[in-house]
Amino acid sequence: MKNIIKNIIFCSIYCLANWLVFNIIFSVLFLIYRNLDNNAHIDLFVSISFIVVTYLISKTYIESKNIYHKNLKIKTIDICVFVLVGILLATILFLLIYNIENKLNFIYYQRYLKNFNEKLQINDINIIALLEIIFTSIILVPIGEELYFRKIGITFLKSKGLGNKYAVLVSAFSFGLFHFRIISTFIYSFFIGLITGLLYVATDKTRYSIFTHGVNNLLAMSSALYYNFIFEDTPDIDFIMKYNDNITGITNIFVILLLLFFIKIFYKRDISYYKEKIIEIYKMIL
């Protein structure tokens, strides 16, 4: 009982400290770049700087700890299936909880929509700025966050005696806490953190977790593409506020199912084969 309480306290302190350190690093970087002549590129410079900082920390820290993870040597296509299935399940769960929150109209949900509405400035985004946002979101942000939450975070937790199971779960919880806006976003982020954490401990490589994170961010931003190609023009803010998350989620589910179908047809594997591979990865925390 004492060990359980001790572990709970340790994990709680870790998640809080992790959240504080992450925000402190970003706050310092934003302060450094706030006097730029063109503030439009501040996110780009901050993201690049964060990657440099986390890379240097991870390289120094991990080499000093000599902690390595088991490499299952999983095929790339099997990893892709694992990622797609994971994002698919996380998206379905997100839509279910999000619409419950929407239906019940919780106070915190109203605040979330108000904050989202204030930040929505579609008309001010030109093509160059949009490309910069996309590059930052699907390339730079995944690299920085995966180095921080997975490579540094999981290695630190394992150095303190936690096994793969609790290291991945605590890392995922910390990742979800950082992305907490409403309950549905927390749960969705937790599952994405779980997927990327599993890939990291199963392969001992961050490139697969970075890839997963990038694909997830691309899918999350895909609503802008849907509006341009399906609706031919960006809808008004009221339309986006009401339907954005549902349209994005449902379309992403369709895209993921289509990709899984093509993978099955092209590689001619039974569903049972991919089921075994997915279970093999999940066994890393069982």
Side-chain angles (χ1 to χ4, degrees):
M1 186 66 181
K2 289 183 178 180
N3 287 333
I4 295 175
I5 296 174
K6 184 179 178 181
N7 287 333
I8 292 174
I9 293 174
F10 168 76
C11 292
S12 300
I13 293 174
Y14 168 81
C15 289
L16 179 60
N18 204 30
W19 182 83
L20 288 173
V21 170
F22 193 98
N23 281 279
I24 288 171
I25 293 174
F26 261 91
S27 296
V28 170
L29 291 174
F30 271 106
L31 285 173
I32 293 173
Y33 291 111
R34 68 178 179 177
N35 294 321
L36 285 174
D37 294 334
N38 188 354
N39 287 329
H41 304 296
I42 190 169
D43 289 339
L44 178 66
F45 290 128
V46 168
S47 297
I48 293 173
S49 300
F50 184 72
I51 290 173
V52 173
V53 171
T54 51
Y55 174 76
L56 293 175
I57 293 174
S58 65
K59 189 172 180 61
T60 304
Y61 180 75
I62 291 175
E63 287 183 355
S64 66
K65 293 298 179 181
N66 291 321
I67 293 178
Y68 301 96
H69 310 286
K70 185 178 180 180
N71 187 348
L72 297 181
K73 296 182 179 179
I74 307 168
K75 294 180 179 179
T76 302
I77 188 61
D78 296 336
I79 290 176
C80 290
V81 172
F82 174 78
V83 169
L84 290 173
V85 171
I87 295 178
L88 175 65
L89 295 176
T91 303
I92 294 172
L93 186 60
F94 166 80
L95 287 176
L96 176 63
I97 299 174
Y98 174 81
N99 282 285
I100 291 175
E101 291 176 302
N102 187 5
K103 190 70 175 177
L104 297 178
N105 201 25
F106 293 115
I107 294 176
Y108 70 84
Y109 180 78
Q110 297 174 27
R111 292 174 180 171
Y112 163 76
L113 290 180
K114 181 180 179 181
N115 183 58
F116 180 63
N117 193 3
E118 291 173 352
K119 291 183 177 180
L120 212 54
Q121 299 176 353
I122 297 176
N123 294 329
D124 295 332
I125 300 178
N126 55 44
I127 186 63
I128 301 300
L130 181 61
L131 290 174
E132 185 175 306
I133 291 171
I134 293 174
F135 176 74
T136 301
S137 299
I138 68 174
I139 302 294
L140 300 182
V141 169
I143 293 174
E145 290 190 1
E146 291 308 310
L147 286 174
Y148 183 82
F149 285 100
R150 249 57 68 183
K151 194 163 188 176
I152 297 175
I154 290 179
T155 301
F156 171 79
L157 291 168
K158 292 189 70 173
S159 72
K160 297 302 179 181
L162 272 69
N164 285 333
K165 178 179 180 178
Y166 291 107
V168 170
L169 288 173
V170 173
S171 172
F173 185 86
S174 178
F175 184 73
L177 183 65
F178 176 75
H179 291 86
F180 179 82
R181 300 295 180 273
I182 51 179
I183 293 176
S184 51
T185 61
F186 168 76
I187 293 177
Y188 181 82
S189 298
F190 170 80
F191 274 96
I192 296 302
L194 185 65
I195 295 167
T196 53
L198 280 168
L199 286 176
Y200 177 59
V201 298
T203 64
D204 197 30
K205 295 178 178 64
T206 55
R207 62 170 175 257
Y208 297 116
S209 59
I210 291 171
F211 166 76
T212 303
H213 199 147
V215 169
N216 173 71
N217 286 2
L218 177 62
L219 290 172
M221 296 181 64
S222 59
S223 56
L225 299 176
Y226 304 153
Y227 298 145
N228 282 322
F229 292 103
I230 298 176
F231 297 104
E232 297 181 356
D233 193 10
T234 303
D236 57 32
I237 290 178
D238 290 336
F239 180 92
I240 295 177
M241 292 290 293
K242 190 173 183 180
Y243 300 111
N244 176 69
D245 289 305
N246 283 314
I247 290 176
T248 303
I250 292 171
T251 309
N252 287 347
I253 288 173
F254 174 77
V255 170
I256 291 171
L257 289 174
L258 194 62
L259 289 173
L260 289 172
F261 174 77
F262 283 129
I263 289 174
K264 183 179 183 302
I265 295 299
F266 185 78
Y267 285 93
K268 299 179 181 179
R269 299 281 191 180
D270 294 332
I271 294 178
S272 58
Y273 168 83
Y274 292 111
K275 183 179 178 180
E276 290 177 2
K277 291 299 179 181
I278 291 172
I279 292 174
E280 183 180 2
I281 297 176
Y282 272 110
K283 283 183 178 178
M284 295 296 297
I285 62 171
L286 296 179

